[in-house]
Amino acid sequence: MTRGVVVVAVAGLLALALAAPASAARPRRYAFSITAVSLSEVVTFHGDGGPACARAGVCGYSGTVRYSFSGGDGVAAFGIAGSHVDATGDFFYSGLTSATVQGPDGGPPCTDKVLQDFDGFEVGGHPGAMRLLFHSPVDDPNYLDTICTGPSDLDLYHAGAVPTITIPERTLRRKKIKLGVSSTRQFHAGPFVGTVAFTTAIRMRPSRFVNDIFQFLSSDL
């Protein structure tokens, strides 16, 4: 990842109000280079056979959508003041979404592939328990979108099928940070039911270069 990309990315983070709001507490800022990141999401689903399925016209549909990448990198920044946290991270990579969905007529399945190159996380909670949120509605995610019928990222997020990573602020003081989560969860979202197997691994380390940009861009806040 080039320095120019880092500058743009950090500027984008700050545009999302990374600097903590005015507070009696002195703000604390942490900036990181994400040195390695991988993610895999496998969604297996079918129509639920109920009224919602009939209304949506998806009864009899079933399939699998896979979204994955590895070998990515990126940047992350955290702004903390008092009990308030504003933070986010950006991933850059070469990834792929692929779908195979069988319709109710028994004909050839729908298949599609979509290249992906940008993902990340938002952060909620408080300094003692910050939650890294993947495919949050804030980011308008579309990693499962293909020409084939199936659930959306927002369907799965609101169904609680996408896991989070929870860390305390003291984790951000480490010289090297390894984060990860792996889960398989059932979901029922709108007219679809199924399972989501989600795994991600993130490595990051404090970056003076990213921090200098972070401090410069937020110096007037």
Side-chain angles (χ1 to χ4, degrees), residues 66-137:
R66 293 179 170 86
Y67 161 59
S68 65
F69 66 86
S70 61
D73 57 18
V75 295
F78 294 72
I80 301 173
S83 62
H84 187 87
V85 177
D86 276 319
T88 189
D90 291 336
F91 306 149
F92 308 98
Y93 60 89
S94 295
L96 179 69
T97 297
S98 61
T100 302
V101 179
Q102 183 65 56
D105 57 6
C110 172
T111 60
D112 193 20
K113 293 183 178 181
V114 181
L115 297 177
Q116 309 283 1
D117 59 11
F118 183 83
D119 201 340
F121 59 80
E122 301 299 331
V123 179
H126 56 84
M130 293 179 287
R131 293 179 293 111
L132 276 61
L133 311 173
F134 299 95
H135 302 172
S136 163

Side-chain angles (χ1 to χ4, degrees), residues 46-61 104 149-151 155 189-192:
H46 59 84
D48 67 3
C53 171
R55 287 193 299 269
V58 298
C59 292
Y61 281 86
T149 297
D155 289 334
F192 297 108

Side-chain angles (χ1 to χ4, degrees), residues 38-56:
S38 62
L39 188 149
S40 173
E41 184 175 15
V42 181
V43 183
T44 303
F45 67 91
H46 59 84
D48 67 3
C53 171
R55 287 193 299 269

Side-chain angles (χ1 to χ4, degrees), residues 123-197:
V123 179
H126 56 84
M130 293 179 287
R131 293 179 293 111
L132 276 61
L133 311 173
F134 299 95
H135 302 172
S136 163
V138 171
D139 297 323
D140 193 23
N142 62 352
Y143 304 105
L144 302 180
D145 287 358
T146 69
I147 63 172
C148 303
T149 297
S152 69
D153 295 273
L154 295 183
D155 289 334
L156 301 185
Y157 184 90
H158 291 305
V162 181
T164 62
I165 298 175
T166 301
I167 60 172
E169 182 182 355
R170 63 176 178 272
T171 296
L172 303 180
R173 302 188 182 108
R174 297 176 183 172
K175 293 183 179 180
K176 293 182 179 181
I177 300 174
K178 296 180 182 180
L179 305 174
V181 65
S182 181
S183 72
T184 299
R185 299 181 180 182
Q186 295 183 339
F187 73 89
H188 188 174
F192 297 108
V193 295
T195 60
V196 180

